[in-house]
């Protein structure tokens, strides 16, 4: 029996692992599974509203008082959502009106006496529970989030793109900036320097290029113009005494994070260049006459800085700062003083920290992949002693963390095998029990005995561990060989193989179970480029997207074939949307001997198009097409379309303003010009990148199902 570095979990029989080591493979847990209810599953049921698994709650955060958790939801399982709240016991769930929604999203004064928010072009102040609201300022240009001064007496806000303040006690109003009509509006980053300064940002997009996504369904064709590009940013300090503006930073760059120390002395900003190869964290000291800048941290990479993993914040008191960095190869926590002194690393190891926040002056809460990349657990750590405590114990995938105002509770979303995510709560002082706050899954979903995937961690050809899950056909017979459908996740930088109900692809997951009923094995691999596995794993694809991802998918198939032998590798289909659609087309042109048909949904076929529409994504991965044409040529399926030998089906929303329909049109045109007639195509005139109409979803997947039946299942 082979072991070769394999760690495998089947069903819910999970052993808690703290390192990837070799374990003997357990026996099949699903040799003769029960599929109660799956026989009645229909394709239309998967995509129709009301949704079969219900609508997942969207966690908004705690109420200002901290006695409720707010979330978006639809209690009838339809797509349109409203705002709800639940108490901390989970016993009372109620829909909230617009006023309470504004309260939940308000800015709380530092003394925790008042809240402020903008509504209907007015700035409101109210009690902590939303009581006694009063409009303190009204104007046509009022909007955005107000900011309290440290003494809780004044509010800074924007009106028509300029910075204003109002003194809450005496009502005194002042305008502090007067931008030119064409100048970028101001965005407030915070008060500083003893409430004598407001730090602001301007984002210049005047140089953006207009990209068109025409709309054909209205009475007259609309051009659908959208300005796209990469910004020039400026950070400045506005002195409230004389309204003088002092520039702190200006560059063609992205601002990842900013923070102001509780005392207002330090303003810290976190920036990366447009190539996302260099990251710098700088502290601006208002305590020095004229201000002074100190670099706290710098890191560079040949791949790209991945902003979703990067956070920073000051402690509730003092000037201690935490930030996260991938400089070690994995995202970890670092702390320093606001002036950059006492810099130290708090966590380390071959695992990712994907969220962190303060829960005290010296204590941080964080989630990580330390147990397994397919799980997320919550920990606390003292930054002085490094003592670490694990708070969550049950195997699950958790995300969306929110800390209560008193820093005692943490709310989050939690999913485990075939249990769609619900909001849970943990009491940091008594972490033994996780309280489930919501019950949003309809009973009709629970009446179906959904198959539990087999979950694997296996080495690829480059000796990196990849994650894979497998769904087997009904009445599975290990002595038989079955046709295969490979699902490829979108986004590139995304994790979809984990031990829970899919966050991004719930419809596809149910569709896969329908494919199982029709006799297919469904395989998914978190290929290189996926998140949750460290910087190198994600960045291996830099300058050549498709190559390493394809290798990992093939290695996963080969492992299953060599170890178990139930795959019919002469009948393999592949499909996916967006980046997954790109990969499907890339696979059938680069490995036609391994993949025999491809369904490409809203696929990138020409990365040059995506550079013009979304340079912030494409440039860090491939460079610019002018300087690096070879990166674009070898990564784009359109380069090889004239030699396509396998059948494909192209499905694309006509008004897609992410991956434009131009990609589908250009690819199909090459097929036609090369004399290829072995392809199908369907456009959806009223759909963008994220489809909205259940009928469009159903039509798309009916075509995919029939395509695989014809070209995979019935193929000789």
């Amino acid at each position: 029996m082979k072991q070769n570095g394999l760690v495998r979990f089947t069903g819910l029989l999970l052993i808690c692992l703290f390192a990837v080591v070799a374990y003997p493979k357990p026996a099949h847990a699903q040799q003769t599974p029960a599929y109660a209810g799956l026989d009645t599953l229909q394709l239309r049921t998967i995509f129709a509203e009301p949704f079969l698994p219900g609508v997942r709650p969207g966690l908004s955060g705690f109420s200002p008082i901290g006695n409720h958790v707010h979330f978006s939801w639809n209690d009838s399982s339809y797509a349109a959502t409203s705002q709800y709240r639940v108490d901390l016991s989970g016993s009372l769930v109620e829909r909230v009106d617009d006023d309470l929604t504004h309260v939940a999203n308000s800015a709380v004064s530092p003394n925790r006496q008042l809240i402020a928010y903008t509504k209907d072009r007015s700035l409101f102040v109210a009690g902590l529970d939303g009581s006694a609201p009063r409009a303190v300022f009204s104007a046509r240009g009022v909007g955005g989030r107000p900011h309290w001064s440290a003494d809780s007496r004044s509010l800074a806000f924007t009106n028509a793109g300029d910075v204003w303040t109002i003194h809450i006690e005496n009502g005194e109003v002042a305008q502090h900036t007067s931008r030119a009509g064409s100048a970028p509006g101001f965005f407030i980053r915070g008060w500083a320097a003893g409430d004598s300064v407001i730090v602001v940002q301007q984002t210049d997009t005047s140089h953006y290029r207009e990209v068109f996504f025409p709309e054909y369904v209205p009475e007259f064709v609309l051009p659908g113009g959208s300005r796209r590009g990469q910004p020039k940013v400026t950070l400045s300090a506005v002195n409230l005494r004389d309204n003088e503006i002092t520039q702190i930073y200006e560059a063609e760059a992205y601002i990842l994070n900013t923070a102001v120390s509780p005392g207002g002395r330090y303003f810290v900003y976190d920036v990366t260049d447009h190539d996302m190869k260099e990251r710098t964290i700088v502290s601006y000291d208002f305590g020095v006459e004229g201000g002074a800048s100190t670099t706290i941290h710098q890191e560079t990479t040949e791949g790209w800085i991945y902003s979703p993993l990067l956070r920073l914040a000051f402690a509730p008191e003092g000037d201690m700062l935490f930030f996260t960095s991938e400089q070690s190869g994995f995202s970890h926590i670092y702390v320093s003083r606001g002036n950059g002194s006492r810099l130290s690393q708090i966590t380390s190891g071959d695992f990712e920290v994907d969220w962190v926040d303060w829960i005290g002056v010296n204590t941080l809460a964080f989630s990580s992949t330390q147990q397994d990349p397919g799980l997320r657990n919550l920990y606390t750590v003292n930054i002085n002693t490094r003592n670490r405590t694990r708070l969550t114990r049950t195997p699950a995938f958790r995300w969306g963390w929110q800390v209560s105002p008193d820093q005692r509770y943490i709310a989050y979303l939690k999913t485990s095998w075939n249990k769609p995510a619900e909001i849970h709560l943990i009491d940091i002082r008594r972490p033994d029990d996780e309280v489930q706050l919501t019950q949003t899954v309809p009973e009709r979903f629970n009446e179906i005995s959904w198959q539990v995937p087999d979950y694997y961690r296996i080495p690829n050809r480059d000796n990196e561990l990849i994650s894979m899950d497998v769904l087997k056909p009904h009445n599975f017979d290990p002595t038989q060989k079955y046709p295969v459908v490979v699902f490829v996740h979108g986004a590139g930088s995304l994790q979809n193989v984990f031990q829970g109900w899919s966050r991004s692809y719930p419809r596809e997951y149910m569709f896969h179970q329908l494919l199982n009923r029709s006799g297919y094995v469904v395989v998914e691999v978190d290929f290189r480029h996926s998140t949750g596995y460290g910087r190198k794993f994600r960045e291996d694809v830099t300058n050549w997207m498709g190559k390493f991802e394809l290798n990992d998918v093939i290695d996963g198939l080969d492992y299953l074939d060599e170890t178990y032998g139930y795959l019919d590798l002469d009948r393999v289909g592949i499909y996916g949307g967006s980046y997954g659609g790109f990969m499907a087309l890339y696979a059938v042109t680069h490995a036609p001997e391994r993949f025999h048909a491809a369904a490409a949904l809203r696929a990138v076929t020409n990365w040059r198009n995506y550079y013009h529409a979304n340079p912030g994504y494409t440039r860090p991965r491939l460079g610019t097409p002018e300087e690096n044409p070879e990166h674009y040529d070898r990564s784009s399926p359109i380069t090889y379309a004239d030699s396509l030998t396998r059948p494909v089906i192209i499905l694309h929303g006509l008004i897609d303003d992410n991956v434009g329909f131009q990609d589908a049109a250009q690819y199909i045109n090459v097929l036609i010009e090369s004399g290829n007639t072995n392809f199908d195509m369907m456009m959806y005139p009223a759909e963008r990148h994220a489809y909205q109409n259940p009928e469009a979803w159903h039509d798309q997947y009916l075509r995919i199902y029939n395509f695989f039946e014809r070209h995979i299942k019935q193929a000789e």
Side-chain angles (χ1 to χ4, degrees), residues 617-679:
Y617 179 96
T618 317
R619 181 174 172 180
R621 291 162 171 81
L622 296 178
T624 67
E626 295 80 14
E627 296 177 350
N628 311 103
E630 69 280 6
H631 299 169
Y632 284 79
D633 290 340
R634 65 191 183 188
S635 299
S636 296
I638 198 169
T639 303
Y640 315 97
D642 59 358
S643 60
L644 181 69
T645 60
R646 294 299 189 184
V648 298
I649 181 170
I650 309 295
L651 306 123
H652 213 117
L654 191 59
I655 59 173
D656 190 331
D657 55 2
N658 181 1
V659 181
F661 186 77
Q662 180 184 25
D663 278 66
Q666 289 178 345
Y667 192 84
I668 291 166
N669 189 58
V670 173
L671 296 182
I672 293 170
E673 290 184 344
S674 65
N676 190 331
T677 60
N678 195 19
F679 68 93

Side-chain angles (χ1 to χ4, degrees), residues 249-400:
Y249 173 80
E250 184 178 50
E252 293 186 354
Y254 293 109
I255 306 292
L256 304 180
N257 301 285
T258 65
V260 180
S261 61
R265 175 170 180 173
Y266 299 105
F267 169 67
V268 174
Y269 57 96
D270 183 3
V271 298
T272 181
D273 63 303
H274 283 169
D275 288 322
M276 303 195 81
K277 309 296 184 187
E278 299 180 4
R279 178 198 183 195
T280 306
I281 299 176
V282 179
S283 175
Y284 189 84
D285 187 351
F286 286 100
V288 176
E289 185 175 355
S293 296
T294 300
T295 298
I296 294 177
H297 171 77
Q298 284 184 308
E299 59 184 288
T300 60
T301 177
E302 294 181 0
W304 67 93
I305 303 294
Y306 185 62
S307 59
L309 285 176
L310 307 180
R311 299 170 60 91
L312 65 78
F314 278 100
E317 300 175 17
D319 65 353
M320 188 61 73
L321 172 85
F322 87 75
F323 64 90
T324 54
S325 168
E326 288 188 291
Q327 68 175 2
S328 69
F330 292 86
S331 175
H332 282 295
I333 304 169
Y334 299 76
V335 296
S336 80
R337 293 290 188 188
N339 60 9
S341 64
R342 292 184 58 187
L343 177 64
S344 60
Q345 185 172 348
I346 301 300
T347 61
S348 61
D350 293 347
F351 62 88
E352 295 272 90
V353 170
D354 63 355
W355 172 84
V356 58
D357 206 350
W358 294 99
I359 56 169
V361 175
N362 298 309
T363 306
L364 293 165
F366 68 94
S367 69
S368 82
T369 64
Q370 184 171 353
Q371 185 183 7
D372 180 86
L375 302 171
R376 295 292 187 277
N377 282 297
L378 182 64
Y379 302 81
T380 61
V381 61
N382 184 291
I383 64 171
N384 296 321
T385 66
R386 305 296 197 271
N387 289 338
R388 188 184 305 179
T389 302
R390 178 176 163 187
L391 301 183
T392 53
R393 295 291 173 181
T394 57
F397 192 89
R398 302 169 176 89
W399 75 97

Side-chain angles (χ1 to χ4, degrees), residues 136-270:
V136 296
F137 184 86
S138 297
R140 179 173 294 182
V142 171
R145 186 178 180 84
H147 291 256
W148 286 96
S149 60
D151 63 8
S152 300
R153 293 181 177 179
S154 297
L155 283 166
F157 61 97
T158 56
N159 177 26
D162 277 308
V163 178
W164 294 57
T165 59
I166 183 170
H167 194 284
I168 299 304
E169 296 174 359
N170 62 26
E172 181 180 347
V173 177
Q175 180 179 348
H176 300 283
T177 63
S178 297
R179 68 186 182 93
S182 60
F186 290 95
F187 174 80
I188 297 172
R189 285 292 186 175
W191 295 72
D195 291 343
S196 65
V197 164
I198 294 176
V199 182
V200 295
Q201 177 180 330
Q202 290 175 286
T203 303
D204 183 2
T205 62
S206 60
H207 56 285
Y208 279 22
R209 178 176 180 174
E210 194 163 22
V211 180
F212 293 94
F213 306 96
E215 300 181 28
Y216 294 90
V217 172
E219 182 179 0
F220 298 100
V221 175
L222 301 177
S226 178
R227 297 185 62 79
R228 304 293 174 92
Q230 294 182 285
K232 179 181 180 180
V233 295
T234 304
L235 293 171
S236 304
V238 181
N239 190 311
L240 302 187
R241 296 186 180 94
D242 55 15
N243 293 336
E244 181 180 349
I245 299 177
T246 301
Q247 187 179 107
I248 297 174
Y249 173 80
E250 184 178 50
E252 293 186 354
Y254 293 109
I255 306 292
L256 304 180
N257 301 285
T258 65
V260 180
S261 61
R265 175 170 180 173
Y266 299 105
F267 169 67
V268 174
Y269 57 96
D270 183 3

Side-chain angles (χ1 to χ4, degrees), residues 407-448:
Q407 300 175 333
R408 175 173 175 175
Y409 300 96
I410 299 179
Y412 49 91
L413 290 160
K414 173 186 174 183
T415 179
S416 54
W417 290 124
N418 291 338
K419 292 184 178 180
E422 298 281 13
I423 297 175
H424 285 69
L425 182 81
I426 197 164
D427 183 342
I428 296 172
R429 299 179 190 173
R430 301 182 181 89
D432 293 338
D433 296 318
E434 295 178 82
V435 178
Q436 183 173 329
L437 297 184
T438 59
Q439 306 281 345
T440 65
V441 179
E443 186 55 38
R444 62 183 178 274
F445 176 88
N446 294 322
E447 290 173 354
I448 295 177

Side-chain angles (χ1 to χ4, degrees), residues 95-144:
R95 186 171 175 175
V96 298
D97 58 21
D98 289 342
D99 288 336
L100 273 179
T101 299
H102 285 290
V103 169
N105 297 323
S106 63
V108 180
S109 62
N111 64 7
R112 299 200 52 77
Q113 298 297 311
L114 297 172
I115 60 173
Y117 55 91
T118 57
K119 172 188 174 185
D120 300 331
R121 300 177 179 176
S122 294
L123 175 64
F124 283 83
V125 173
L128 202 60
D129 59 354
S131 60
R134 59 188 177 97
V136 296
F137 184 86
S138 297
R140 179 173 294 182
V142 171

